[in-house]
Amino acid sequence: MKNLTDNYIKDWVIPFYQGKISQWELKSQKLIQIYDRFSKPVMESGDQITDFDTNNSQYDMLIQNILLDDLRTATKEMGFDRIPIIQNSWFQIYNKAHSHSIHNHGMGSLSVVCYIKYDSTVHKPTTFISPFLNLEDGNVMEYQPSDVEEGTFVVFPSALAHYVPTNQSDVERMILAFNMK
């Protein structure tokens, strides 16, 4: 007879992957070149500097070519067999007092955050919010990945709520974010 606990654990897992981009020094230079060449940053609600929503689809393929091997490794480890395809990508810069409120990236895909400029002594990683409450006390549960550094990337379900804590330092924090099928 099947144990109900086995079904609960198996069926309620949130797909999540944290890894380090291979050959980071080379790839980070290429990613920053894409940003410098194509990005048209705009300020959104005073929260961060971003080129989200400025139709930067011209660089989705360039980013995919740089990160494909890393993304394939991640999605295979998460149990997905298809080749990941980046559908929309954007860069975000967080200067002092910048943050990003609770949001998600919609339904039906995976999302990625890649830390391009990140100082673990002064920055906090993206904080993820559990889609269910703590069973013991009913409180909201949050998760911040550990050991985040430049070149770390996190893959997560697009519908998973998350936010970026306020940058309390004068050190710029820069990420690349994208959704993929």
Side-chain angles (χ1 to χ4, degrees):
M1 182 170 185
K2 209 171 196 183
N3 185 334
L4 290 178
T5 304
D6 292 339
N7 286 337
Y8 174 80
I9 292 170
K10 178 179 159 269
D11 294 340
W12 289 87
V13 171
I14 299 169
F16 195 89
Y17 178 90
Q18 179 179 336
K20 177 82 171 162
I21 301 293
S22 63
Q23 301 175 346
W24 175 243
E25 294 302 320
L26 174 65
K27 290 178 182 179
S28 67
Q29 291 173 3
K30 290 180 179 183
L31 293 171
I32 290 172
Q33 286 172 353
I34 291 170
Y35 174 78
D36 289 342
R37 182 173 175 200
F38 295 106
S39 181
K40 297 175 185 113
V42 296
M43 185 69 84
E44 282 188 1
S45 306
D47 287 334
Q48 71 275 332
I49 299 168
T50 181
D51 61 359
F52 180 80
D53 218 17
T54 56
N55 196 18
N56 284 323
S57 59
Q58 71 264 24
Y59 57 61
D60 290 349
M61 187 58 73
L62 297 171
I63 292 169
Q64 179 152 334
N65 288 339
I66 295 167
L67 299 179
L68 183 59
D69 291 339
D70 301 291
L71 297 175
R72 287 194 71 162
T73 297
T75 54
K76 278 185 181 181
E77 286 192 28
M78 294 173 75
F80 299 100
D81 292 329
R82 290 185 267 172
I83 295 172
I85 298 171
I86 295 176
Q87 296 201 302
N88 56 328
S89 53
W90 61 97
F91 291 88
Q92 288 184 186
I93 296 173
Y94 299 84
N95 292 319
K96 188 170 188 168
H98 286 171
S99 63
H100 198 156
S101 60
I102 296 173
H103 65 283
N104 67 52
H105 295 198
M107 297 292 292
S109 60
L110 294 172
S111 294
V112 174
V113 60
C114 178
Y115 299 88
I116 295 178
K117 293 181 183 177
Y118 185 87
D119 182 342
S120 63
T121 64
V122 294
H123 295 144
K124 300 278 187 210
T126 304
T127 301
F128 297 89
I129 301 170
S130 172
F132 48 86
L133 300 176
N134 184 301
L135 296 176
E136 292 179 7
D137 59 18
N139 286 322
V140 172
M141 295 185 293
E142 295 183 341
Y143 172 73
Q144 278 187 339
S146 59
D147 301 323
V148 172
E149 60 185 12
E150 291 182 356
T152 297
F153 73 111
V154 177
V155 183
F156 57 95
S158 298
L160 187 62
H162 57 285
Y163 66 93
V164 177
T166 303
N167 183 358
Q168 302 289 335
S169 78
D170 291 320
V171 179
E172 180 181 87
R173 176 186 188 273
M174 180 182 195
I175 60 109
L176 165 65
F178 54 87
N179 300 322
M180 61 185 182
K181 292 283 184 191

